[in-house]
Amino acid sequence: AQKITQTQPGMFVQEKEAVTLDCTYDTSDQSYGLFWYKQPSSGEMIFLIYQGSYDEQNATEGRYSLNFQKARKSANLVISASQLGDSAMYFCAMREGGGGSNYKLTFGKGTLLTVNP
Amino acid sequence: DTGVSQDPRHKITKRGQNVTFRCDPISEHNRLYWYRQTLGQGPEFLTYFQNEAQLEKSRLLSDRFSAERPKGSFSTLEIQRTEQGDSAMYLCASSLLRREAFFGQGTRLTVV
């Protein structure tokens, strides 16, 4: 089974509107972390936002927020007030386990976001 | 800004040749990772160093692949006897313990 599922291969949004990118995950660990990264055409993976499994509040970083629904195992990224520069691939990733064993990330296949002027 | 730096950015090589990539992590980061990304996929974990110790190698890393991190600073990833299936983007990342990983811009390898 896929550990990270991103069901939207591509999404379109109008500039200045909000968009939600979906991510569901599968783990039996109680302690885990969820990440979103942005990958522009230049190739670099840019860290956007992090949510820990024990965090009670949804994470927010500027225009990015993470809609964390633990029971549904979903961690959707919400981008508010989209900008043309937001056009990129977006990857959801998970780091399982606690203590020193949690280091590697498992990524989904990504969602290509296009922001239209 | 001294982020993660990778060199070269692009490499074209003939099948059967050896290639070596370099990664310079963020200086205070003790953890370093290599990932591989093929077209249309997310990055896949290859290997992990904590300081100079290589603590895990993925089964994706065949015997033709070797990675080092001497003195716990920069790292190199070598591929011997390259094959067309090795064509991919090779991404390096670094982090502090339990913190988010910061990625470099990657080395795009094309094997012809």
Side-chain angles (χ1 to χ4, degrees):
Chain A
Q2 292 280 339
K3 285 187 177 280
I4 297 287
T5 303
Q6 294 182 253
T7 57
Q8 307 153 314
M11 287 283 285
F12 292 89
V13 66
Q14 210 61 29
E15 193 178 7
K16 299 180 186 177
E17 292 186 350
V19 63
T20 298
L21 305 184
D22 294 342
C23 172
T24 57
Y25 60 91
D26 182 25
T27 181
S28 56
D29 286 344
Q30 295 301 310
S31 177
Y32 52 89
L34 297 157
F35 301 78
W36 278 91
Y37 283 86
K38 171 184 177 182
Q39 188 176 42
S41 55
S42 60
E44 181 180 1
M45 300 284 286
I46 301 167
F47 166 73
L48 296 178
I49 196 166
Y50 166 79
Q51 179 85 41
S53 58
Y54 293 119
D55 294 342
E56 294 186 352
Q57 301 226 341
N58 286 342
T60 60
E61 289 285 350
R63 295 186 299 110
Y64 305 107
S65 61
L66 201 152
N67 184 0
F68 181 46
Q69 297 187 45
K70 195 169 181 176
R72 296 181 61 188
K73 292 190 173 178
S74 76
N76 298 339
L77 177 71
V78 180
I79 305 175
S80 63
S82 297
Q83 302 172 357
L84 295 178
D86 293 335
S87 294
M89 281 292 287
Y90 287 80
F91 290 96
C92 179
M94 177 171 61
R95 186 173 63 198
E96 295 177 276
S101 67
N102 60 338
Y103 48 81
K104 63 183 170 186
L105 295 170
T106 302
F107 286 84
K109 292 190 175 184
T111 295
L112 179 62
L113 177 67
T114 303
V115 180
N116 293 318
Chain B
D1 178 16
T2 54
V4 178
S5 176
Q6 291 189 246
D7 184 69
R9 294 288 312 281
H10 303 274
K11 178 72 176 178
I12 300 174
T13 190
K14 290 184 179 179
R15 191 173 52 187
Q17 298 293 304
N18 299 344
V19 294
T20 300
F21 310 141
R22 178 181 170 119
C23 171
D24 287 274
I26 294 171
S27 58
E28 63 268 27
H29 286 182
N30 58 343
R31 291 182 162 187
L32 187 146
Y33 319 81
W34 285 96
Y35 286 81
R36 182 170 67 188
Q37 186 179 21
T38 53
L39 204 60
Q41 302 294 319
E44 294 175 293
F45 172 79
L46 291 180
T47 190
Y48 157 64
F49 290 86
Q50 184 156 317
N51 300 312
E52 66 275 9
Q54 187 175 20
L55 297 186
E56 184 174 343
K57 288 175 62 172
S58 162
R59 279 172 285 184
L60 292 174
L61 224 58
S62 76
D63 291 344
R64 297 183 296 104
F65 288 71
S66 62
E68 294 182 342
R69 192 184 182 195
K71 303 179 183 178
S73 56
F74 71 92
S75 176
T76 58
L77 178 68
E78 181 183 16
I79 309 174
Q80 296 182 327
R81 305 181 302 283
T82 52
E83 301 173 356
Q84 286 190 321
D86 297 332
S87 295
M89 174 82 88
Y90 290 85
L91 293 162
C92 177
S94 69
S95 75
L96 291 169
L97 186 67
R98 298 188 189 180
R99 296 297 301 271
E100 63 273 16
F102 292 87
F103 284 79
Q105 290 188 295
T107 294
R108 185 171 294 283
L109 173 67
T110 303
V111 181
V112 297

